Amino acid sequence: MPLQVSDYSWQQTEAAVFISVPLRGVSIRDADVFCTESYLKVNSPPFLFEVFLYAPIDDENSKAKIGNDTVVFTLYKKEAAMWETLSLSGVDKEMMQRIREKSILQAQERAKEAMEAKAVARREDQKYALNIMMKIEEEKRKKIEDMKENERRKATKELEAWKEHQSKAEEQKRIQREEELRQQEKQMEEEREKVKHKSLTRNSTSRNLTIKGRNSENMFFEKLKEDSIPAPRSVGSIKINFTPRVFPTALRESQVAEEEEWLHKQAEARRAMNADIPELSDLKEEEKNPEWLKDKGNKLFATENYLAAINAYNLAIRLNNKIPLLYLNRAACHLKLKNLHKAIEDSSKAYRIMKLPLRLIHPTKLYKMMLRRFGL
């Protein structure tokens, strides 16, 4: 059962009420203060102070000061007037309970409204912050777009200047070429005029000498003949380019249509064979020929690059595994690398392709035949 505090004191003015509630022997910091416009309560176990106010007060602006074992209230009246008493008189228990419940409901509604107002204010703050961030992002985006546009304009200007410079250079080159052609034509015209004039002079001299005396001495005739002989032509070389041909036969001895059809079929067959080989995607068309790969491997073998030669022969065998010379050449590379088992295996495949009776050949004899074949 809490102890009711009765030794409190109070004073008033027309605008405010001052109440001093002593709480001796307890911790004031743990005191629970509850105040509404018509109800005031201080709960600090084991003490309880409760008063049902005479008239409504402004509980939002009212104050409570806790210290020195005392709670001092400053309550502002809603209507300026002097109270007859601090609390209502003639209040029974049911009325007290109704006032308490009403005060609690008012406090709860006010707290709810405060929370809603706080949530609304928080949302407004978030909305404001979001708008500010969107504005900042928009400014940054606009700044980046302006920078891009400036760079694009600058690049366009540089490109236009470069194109103009190139066109001027081309125009200058064209004018220079035309000038050179005119100079050459002029020189050729002068040379033709000179040759023509010289020919006319020689013909005139020849006619005069003939008319003057046909029975002149042979010495003068020979001299005139030597003068009329034109100078020998200058020495030079003419370069003639011939269209490359796959077949070594002369064009007059071959059937062009049949050869072109054969080449087309060969290319189609190679493309069909090479469709499943990813290593050929980066090679040229002529490099996808087994014969070309065999020659490439032979060149690598001559430079003692045996591993590269083996790679060339491997790719050629994948394109056409019916050429025994590819296996023999790869066997030679394995011999150089001391891979004797692989050398014997490749040579055996070559002899099988050539349909030789391999079962009659001893491996040692086959090895010696390979040595003689490749001069090792």
Side-chain angles (χ1 to χ4, degrees):
M1 187 71 182
L3 299 177
Q4 295 286 338
V5 178
S6 59
D7 55 345
Y8 64 91
S9 61
W10 70 285
Q11 297 176 359
Q12 68 171 329
T13 63
E14 290 186 355
V17 176
F18 304 97
I19 304 174
S20 177
V21 181
L23 298 173
R24 298 180 180 86
V26 296
S27 177
I28 301 299
R29 296 178 181 176
D30 298 333
D32 182 16
V33 178
F34 180 73
C35 179
T36 63
E37 62 179 10
S38 60
Y39 180 70
L40 176 63
K41 183 180 76 169
V42 178
N43 183 18
S44 181
F47 297 106
L48 176 65
F49 174 73
E50 185 179 39
V51 60
F52 299 92
L53 299 175
Y54 181 81
I57 63 171
D58 186 3
D59 56 337
E60 292 184 358
N61 296 323
S62 297
K63 301 177 183 179
K65 183 178 180 181
I66 302 175
N68 298 325
D69 296 337
T70 306
V71 181
V72 178
F73 293 97
T74 302
L75 308 177
Y76 296 100
K77 300 176 181 178
K78 284 190 174 182
E79 295 180 358
M82 298 299 289
W83 292 357
E84 295 179 359
T85 59
L86 179 62
S87 60
L88 290 173
S89 58
V91 179
D92 56 3
K93 290 184 179 181
E94 293 182 0
M95 187 174 181
M96 290 180 182
Q97 186 64 26
R98 286 198 300 271
I99 293 173
R100 291 191 190 100
E101 292 176 356
K102 182 179 179 182
S103 299
I104 292 172
L105 289 175
Q106 288 178 353
Q108 289 178 350
E109 291 178 359
R110 190 172 299 168
K112 184 178 179 181
E113 291 175 357
M115 289 179 63
E116 291 178 354
K118 190 175 181 181
V120 171
R122 187 185 300 111
R123 287 195 295 270
E124 291 295 329
D125 292 341
Q126 291 177 352
K127 186 177 179 181
Y128 177 75
L130 181 61
N131 290 333
I132 294 297
M133 290 297 295
M134 290 177 64
K135 287 181 181 179
I136 293 173
E137 292 293 334
E138 183 66 22
E139 290 177 358
K140 288 183 179 179
R141 186 184 63 79
K142 187 176 180 182
K143 186 176 179 181
I144 292 172
E145 289 181 354
D146 292 341
M147 290 174 65
K148 288 182 179 180
E149 183 66 20
N150 293 334
E151 289 295 330
R152 187 187 65 78
R153 290 177 181 175
K154 183 178 178 182
T156 304
K157 263 186 203 178
E158 292 177 355
L159 181 61
E160 292 295 333
W162 179 80
K163 286 182 178 180
E164 186 177 357
H165 177 72
Q166 288 294 110
S167 61
K168 287 182 180 180
E170 291 293 333
E171 184 67 20
Q172 188 174 1
K173 287 181 181 179
R174 186 183 63 79
I175 294 172
Q176 187 176 359
R177 285 196 298 269
E178 291 179 356
E179 184 66 24
E180 290 177 356
L181 289 174
R182 282 196 295 270
Q183 292 291 338
Q184 291 178 3
E185 289 177 358
K186 187 176 180 181
Q187 291 178 2
M188 292 174 65
E189 187 67 27
E190 290 178 354
E191 289 179 0
R192 282 197 295 268
E193 290 293 333
K194 287 180 182 179
V195 172
K196 185 177 180 181
H197 179 69
K198 189 186 253 188
S199 177
L200 290 174
T201 304
R202 287 177 180 173
N203 291 335
S204 177
T205 304
S206 177
R207 283 195 299 271
N208 291 334
L209 289 174
T210 303
I211 294 171
K212 189 174 182 180
R214 293 185 178 179
N215 297 324
S216 301
E217 294 182 357
N218 291 335
M219 179 178 64
F220 297 101
F221 180 77
E222 291 294 334
K223 185 176 180 180
L224 181 61
K225 188 176 181 181
E226 290 177 0
D227 293 337
S228 62
I229 295 175
R233 295 180 180 178
S234 59
V235 180
S237 60
I238 300 174
K239 185 177 180 180
I240 301 174
N241 296 324
F242 295 96
T243 304
R245 285 177 48 76
V246 178
F247 297 93
T249 56
L251 183 61
R252 62 180 178 275
E253 299 175 1
S254 63
Q255 301 294 329
V256 179
E258 295 177 1
E259 291 176 0
E260 293 296 332
E261 183 180 0
W262 185 84
L263 291 174
H264 179 70
K265 290 181 179 180
Q266 290 295 320
E268 291 292 336
R270 282 199 296 272
R271 279 195 290 270
M273 291 174 61
N274 302 341
D276 299 331
I277 303 178
E279 292 87 347
L280 301 178
S281 59
D282 297 333
L283 297 180
K284 299 178 181 178
E285 189 64 28
E286 63 271 11
E287 295 175 355
K288 299 178 183 179
N289 191 344
E291 291 296 329
W292 185 90
L293 292 169
K294 178 176 71 66
D295 295 338
K296 185 68 176 179
N298 295 342
K299 292 178 182 178
L300 294 170
F301 181 86
T303 59
E304 299 183 359
N305 191 354
Y306 304 121
L307 292 176
I310 288 174
N311 291 333
Y313 295 139
N314 288 340
L315 190 55
I317 289 171
R318 292 182 67 181
L319 293 172
N320 190 347
N321 58 359
K322 301 299 182 182
I323 303 176
L325 192 56
L326 296 174
Y327 292 97
L328 292 176
N329 291 352
R330 190 171 68 175
C333 294
H334 286 307
L335 276 178
K336 289 291 186 179
L337 296 174
K338 306 302 181 183
N339 298 329
L340 302 182
H341 292 287
K342 292 185 178 180
I344 293 175
E345 183 181 353
D346 282 345
S347 59
S348 301
K349 289 180 181 178
Y351 276 93
R352 289 192 189 95
I353 293 173
M354 291 186 290
K355 297 182 180 179
L356 294 178
L358 188 61
R359 64 180 182 278
L360 301 179
I361 301 176
H362 194 269
T364 306
K365 185 176 180 181
L366 179 61
Y367 178 73
K368 291 180 180 179
M369 291 173 62
M370 288 172 55
L371 292 178
R372 289 196 299 273
R373 164 64 177 82
F374 299 108
L376 304 176

